[in-house]
Each structure stands twice: as C-alpha cells, then as structure tokens.
C-alpha cells in the first residue's frame, strides 16, 4: 500500500499555561501556516585536515530547532475574548526575561499518538493588515534543550 501525504491543517500546537494551578494546555487557534525548521541554531566544527585529502569534514556540535506559526488574530465572536493560546503567548510568555523566558509547548499531527514536547522561548511576530484584510498573528518558538515526547491522552 502506498503512503499518503498528511494535511497541513491537521497539525495541533499547544502552549502550557504556567500560571494555572494544574497542568493546563492551551491550543493556539487561528493558524493557517507553520514552518518547522529542525536545523535552526545548528553549529558545526570544521574537522578538515590534510588527511581529508581535499574533502570537507565537520562534526555537529550543537542542535537546535524552531517553529514559526502564522495565522489570524482570533477572538470569540460571542464575548470578544482573545483566543486563550494566542493571548497567553502574547501577554504572558512573550514578556518574560532570563530564566523565566522558557515555557513548555507541544505539537503533533492529529494522526499521531505522541506529542513532541519542547522547553522553549518565544519571539512574538508581526501583527497587522490592510483595509480588506483580517488582522494577522505570528510567533516563532525556539527549542531549548532536547525534545521529549508524551502520549496523547483523551480527557473525559
């Protein structure tokens, strides 16, 4: 049986609300594109020597990764309240500095049974729009340390 491509719209991104008394994950809504860069912040050391006989050699000394999320600035139609995931990123996480600047995030495709979990920092993206546009929203999440995984659990 041949494989099939998966839909990009099936990816789910969540941020952990570190202000909540219990473990709480907030989905980030309104996304219409993402870019996962598994080589972001990679550093290498040139190991080419005379014995390399003119062929380049290197060792990877540091791994990194980032995810850029882009979409639309979301509010609840009935209440006007901001999307909880976007609001947390913009008003809670993006304002932290130093050791407080890290926050857990997780992401997966709806077809997967494992979350990819990162300890990460966030860089808020541009927001804007023109006369006939909807307001944009964006953020870049940069992994700190190694990724881990967690099983997808269904809550009643």
């Amino acid at each position: 049986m041949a494989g099939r491509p998966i839909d990009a719209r099936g990816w789910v991104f969540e941020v952990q609300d570190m202000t909540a008394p219990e473990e709480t994950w907030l989905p980030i809504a309104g996304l219409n594109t993402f870019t996962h860069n598994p080589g972001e912040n990679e550093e290498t050391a040139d190991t080419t020597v005379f014995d390399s006989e003119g062929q380049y050699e290197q060792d990877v000394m540091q791994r990194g990764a980032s995810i850029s999320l882009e979409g639309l600035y979301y509010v609840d139609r009935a209440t006007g309240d901001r999307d909880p995931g976007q609001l947390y990123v913009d008003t809670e996480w993006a304002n932290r500095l130093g050791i407080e600047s890290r926050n857990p995030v997780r992401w997966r495709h709806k077809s997967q049974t494992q979350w990819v979990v990162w300890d990460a920092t966030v860089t808020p993206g541009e927001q804007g729009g023109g006369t006939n546009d909807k307001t944009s929203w964006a953020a870049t999440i940069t992994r700190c340390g190694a990724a881990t995984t967690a099983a997808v659990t269904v809550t009643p």
Side-chain angles (χ1 to χ4, degrees), residues 92 106 109:
E92 177 62 37
R106 65 185 185 182
H109 191 268

Side-chain angles (χ1 to χ4, degrees), residues 76-139:
D76 183 287
R77 285 176 57 177
T79 65
D81 292 340
R82 290 278 314 277
D83 169 69
Q86 288 185 7
L87 180 66
Y88 183 86
V89 169
D90 289 347
T91 63
E92 177 62 37
W93 188 11
N95 293 320
R96 295 194 219 138
L97 302 170
I99 62 173
E100 300 299 321
S101 65
R102 293 187 182 188
N103 203 99
V105 295
R106 65 185 185 182
W107 53 281
R108 68 177 180 93
H109 191 268
K110 290 179 181 179
S111 65
Q112 297 173 334
T113 59
Q114 294 280 320
W115 290 100
V116 175
V117 182
W118 288 359
D119 189 33
T121 60
V122 69
T123 302
E126 296 179 350
Q127 296 175 0
T131 302
N132 294 318
D133 296 334
K134 296 292 186 178
T135 302
S136 63
W137 183 88

Side-chain angles (χ1 to χ4, degrees), residues 44-49 52-59:
T44 62
D46 184 342
T47 58
T48 308
V49 294
S52 301
E53 298 179 358
Q55 301 300 313
Y56 177 77
E57 295 184 40
Q58 73 176 18
D59 287 342

